[in-house]
Amino acid sequence: MIIFESMGIAEEYIRLIFGLKIKQIRTEMGLSLFGLSKLCGLSKSYLNEIEKGKKYPKTDKIIKLAETFDVAYDDLVSLKLDKNLAPIGEILQSGILDEIPLELFGIQQSDLIDIIANAPSKVNAFISTIIEIAQHYNMSRESFYLASLRSYQEAHNNFFKELEDKALRCANSYQLNLTGKISSTDLEEILREEYGYTVNEAGIPKQEELDNLRSVFVPSTKTLLLSDRVDEAQKTFIYAKELGYQYLEIKERPYTFSWIKYDNFEEVLHNFYASYFAGALIIPRTHLKERLKELFSMKRFSEKSFHKIMKQYNASPESFYQRLTNILPKDFGMQNVFFLRFTHKPGVEKFNLVKELHITHQQQPRANEINEHYCRQWMAIKILQRTSHEDLGYAFNIQTSHYVDTDQQYLVFTSATKDPFKKAYYRSIGIGFLISPALERKISFVNDKKIPKERVGVTCESCSLANCEVRVAPPKQLLVKEKHTKTEMLVKNIIQQYS
């Protein structure tokens, strides 16, 4: 133990690694805990605590274990792991399991380690593969955190009652209007009077490297600096989010919006909590629910009615669509929902899927990391092309997307705007609902004949749609599959010929 401490390595990590090694050797020898206890003279319960990483034995007991296993003492206490345990050793030493609160997913770290110890070669082969994939696609630490957050949201159908309740209590406490627009002035006054904020509405210097920032919070003086390009809706969201940090008593948080980097998963999670709180405050659940009931009862879709609802709240289109992903699964039972945000620069072929959320099922489309071309028949792509080509400030459309390779149909709403914080870029925000008899009972205009229908794929490279007029790349995945199928048939014929 003295050797380890001099190396400055966390004791918990040392206990876990030692426990994994003991369990691995015991298992390889075909011994039960009871059997090992008989051989080494240590109690079964004590050995169990060692293997779970809860206890680290003294030198005399390590010697007993080394003699029982017929291994060198130095090998037993060394932090060097064999190839089966090496990947989990890397993960434990990195501390990433401490940064991600596994309990949010109903997982205890000790249980996870126990699973790994029971089948180290299989589990660690899987972990090694995941690490290799992440490195191959240059998956950053932040990307891993955000993927974990997305899984957390999806596991809870993106509805968090405690945050809803706290936003409601906050609104009542500060007498905020829950039946109309909450203004940035209302929220700024609370931040100044109740929490001692100083707000500088043009405090972010005009430098190219800072163009993407909407706000910066200086914790030592409680000074909130804003970009002079934020509009009223964006300012209201920023203030509501800051109120969320204060009302929820969140200390560990990012200080920029948009974020520059996340140092740990707590910051990612707390940023989400404050954002959710802001959405619940600006777009009250009960009020929105009643407006949506009226919209969904219509036999024909009305774009005017849809935008009338949006305009009742001091929120950006993205905030409104995000709020729909909270309300629709919970209050309308719409479980098969996806949310997507794309960005695009005119003149560039690539369309970037920068944010996604899938409630219940892993619906298409999904983020694509292999540089394939998303289907140009998607509403998200078409509306971006239109908005950028016509230089529109805002555009909206709706369509039924029929996925040719899955036989699924989705009703998709999409809005697009200029990106005020990324010069010459446009962005689209969309939400889609799997069409089913259940959805037809909830949304009366699902089968409105005026809603255009399109047959779509996922990417051009994987799409089997014939004679597609907007295809920008050949279906290479299908061509390879067809070639393999033909080769398989020819080989089968050769075998039959010589049998």
Side-chain angles (χ1 to χ4, degrees):
M1 191 67 172
I2 295 173
I3 298 173
F4 293 149
E5 288 174 346
S6 67
M7 295 171 66
I9 299 171
E11 284 189 18
E12 184 181 15
Y13 170 72
I14 297 163
R15 293 197 306 271
L16 289 169
I17 292 300
F18 186 81
L20 285 171
K21 292 178 81 168
I22 295 299
K23 184 163 189 174
Q24 183 185 36
I25 298 170
R26 174 179 66 76
T27 304
E28 288 173 353
M29 292 177 65
L31 287 171
S32 65
L33 277 172
F34 180 83
L36 178 59
S37 174
K38 286 287 186 181
L39 288 174
C40 70
L42 302 176
S43 73
K44 178 184 170 182
S45 60
Y46 183 61
L47 289 169
N48 186 47
E49 288 189 313
I50 290 174
E51 290 190 357
K52 288 183 178 296
K54 295 179 180 178
K55 293 285 179 72
Y56 191 90
K58 293 182 179 179
T59 303
D60 60 327
K61 292 182 173 62
I62 296 175
I63 292 171
K64 282 186 179 180
L65 287 167
E67 290 173 348
T68 303
F69 291 144
D70 193 23
V71 298
Y73 175 92
D74 289 346
D75 290 339
L76 204 56
V77 298
S78 169
L79 290 179
K80 186 176 180 181
L81 297 167
D82 67 16
K83 62 181 181 181
N84 283 338
L85 291 177
I88 189 59
E90 291 177 20
I91 290 175
L92 290 173
Q93 195 166 24
S94 73
I96 199 165
L97 293 181
D98 295 322
E99 293 175 14
I100 299 177
L102 295 169
E103 66 275 6
L104 293 176
F105 302 91
I107 302 170
Q108 296 297 319
Q109 189 177 117
S110 59
D111 293 336
L112 180 62
I113 293 167
D114 198 42
I115 291 168
I116 293 166
N118 281 325
S121 58
K122 293 179 182 178
V123 176
N124 286 304
F126 174 73
I127 292 171
S128 297
T129 303
I130 295 300
I131 291 171
E132 188 174 338
I133 290 171
Q135 290 172 341
H136 181 69
Y137 290 120
N138 195 28
M139 186 178 185
S140 66
R141 193 180 186 89
E142 284 85 2
S143 296
F144 182 79
Y145 289 153
L146 292 171
S148 299
L149 174 64
R150 188 167 65 246
S151 296
Y152 174 54
Q153 289 176 261
E154 292 169 358
H156 291 80
N157 288 342
N158 204 32
F159 182 83
F160 298 86
K161 189 175 185 304
E162 185 178 354
L163 293 174
E164 297 279 349
D165 292 343
K166 286 184 177 179
L168 185 60
R169 286 199 296 271
C170 178
N172 290 330
S173 174
Y174 293 118
Q175 290 296 289
L176 292 170
N177 187 357
L178 292 176
T179 60
K181 289 185 179 180
I182 294 175
S183 71
S184 64
T185 304
D186 295 331
L187 299 177
E188 182 180 349
E189 184 180 11
I190 296 170
L191 290 175
R192 289 181 185 274
E193 296 295 327
E194 293 292 302
Y195 296 102
Y197 270 55
T198 299
V199 178
N200 185 337
E201 293 195 3
I204 297 179
K206 294 183 182 299
Q207 293 175 240
E208 184 179 349
E209 294 81 2
L210 303 175
D211 280 353
N212 196 43
L213 291 181
R214 303 180 194 186
S215 67
V216 176
F217 179 64
V218 184
S220 59
T221 58
K222 285 193 173 181
T223 301
L224 182 63
L225 308 174
L226 299 182
S227 165
D228 60 5
R229 286 179 293 161
V230 297
D231 60 23
E232 169 62 13
Q234 292 163 343
K235 189 188 299 183
T236 302
F237 181 81
I238 291 168
Y239 290 166
K241 192 172 175 181
E242 287 298 325
L243 180 55
Y245 283 127
Q246 299 300 329
Y247 193 81
L248 298 173
E249 299 181 342
I250 291 172
K251 304 299 181 188
E252 196 162 7
R253 51 163 290 188
Y255 293 119
T256 63
F257 176 55
S258 301
W259 60 272
I260 299 173
K261 69 169 187 173
Y262 290 118
D263 292 323
N264 54 60
F265 187 72
E266 288 297 308
E267 288 186 3
V268 178
L269 190 63
H270 291 161
N271 179 67
F272 166 70
Y273 286 161
S275 297
Y276 189 106
F277 179 96
L281 198 64
I282 297 167
I283 308 175
R285 176 187 174 190
T286 301
H287 191 266
L288 176 59
K289 187 165 59 172
E290 293 306 313
R291 306 291 84 74
L292 291 174
K293 283 180 181 178
E294 295 170 6
L295 177 70
F296 294 156
S297 67
M298 295 179 177
K299 297 294 183 183
R300 298 286 179 265
F301 174 71
S302 168
E303 182 178 336
K304 182 179 178 181
S305 297
F306 179 77
H307 283 99
K308 184 179 178 182
I309 295 173
M310 284 183 65
K311 289 174 183 177
Q312 290 189 41
Y313 308 105
N314 197 1
S316 68
E318 180 167 355
S319 293
F320 181 77
Y321 278 78
Q322 290 263 29
R323 190 66 174 134
L324 291 179
T325 68
N326 307 139
I327 302 302
L328 295 178
K330 177 65 178 178
D331 293 320
F332 291 85
M334 297 180 190
Q335 298 298 316
N336 301 308
V337 177
F338 68 74
F339 169 89
L340 303 174
R341 174 155 65 92
F342 277 88
T343 62
H344 174 62
K345 184 176 183 180
V348 178
E349 191 177 75
K350 189 173 178 61
F351 292 81
N352 299 303
L353 178 50
V354 295
K355 194 167 188 177
E356 63 176 320
L357 188 67
H358 301 263
I359 308 298
T360 305
H361 292 159
Q362 298 299 306
Q363 305 93 353
Q364 297 294 355
R366 293 193 57 75
N368 168 41
E369 298 290 345
I370 50 179
N371 294 318
E372 292 187 357
H373 299 79
Y374 292 113
C375 178
R376 272 25 181 188
Q377 294 287 20
W378 286 357
M379 181 51 66
I381 304 295
K382 290 194 295 185
I383 201 169
L384 273 176
Q385 290 173 323
R386 176 189 159 204
T387 310
S388 59
H389 182 260
E390 299 178 17
D391 194 28
L392 301 175
Y394 176 82
F396 170 84
N397 219 327
I398 182 174
Q399 80 175 29
T400 297
S401 296
H402 181 187
Y403 285 86
V404 293
D405 297 315
T406 65
D407 203 33
Q408 292 180 331
Q409 296 186 64
Y410 283 84
L411 179 67
V412 183
F413 297 74
T414 309
S415 293
T417 64
K418 285 184 175 180
D419 190 332
F421 294 93
K422 210 168 184 182
K423 190 176 180 181
Y425 272 79
Y426 293 79
R427 57 187 176 184
S428 69
I429 310 101
I431 188 168
F433 315 94
L434 179 66
I435 295 177
S436 65
L439 189 74
E440 290 170 355
R441 289 191 295 271
K442 292 162 185 169
I443 302 181
S444 298
F445 57 75
V446 166
N447 296 313
D448 183 353
K449 290 182 170 54
K450 290 187 178 180
I451 297 175
K453 294 186 178 182
E454 292 286 357
R455 299 182 75 207
V456 304
V458 178
T459 64
C460 292
E461 288 81 352
S462 65
C463 179
S464 63
L465 192 62
N467 303 317
C468 178
E469 295 178 356
V470 294
R471 182 184 289 280
V472 293
K476 64 179 183 180
Q477 289 189 31
L478 297 177
L479 294 174
V480 169
K481 187 177 179 180
E482 287 174 6
K483 183 180 178 181
H484 287 167
T485 301
K486 190 173 182 180
T487 301
E488 188 179 351
M489 289 177 62
L490 291 172
V491 170
K492 188 176 180 180
N493 290 338
I494 291 170
I495 292 171
Q496 287 178 343
Q497 182 181 346
Y498 286 91
S499 295

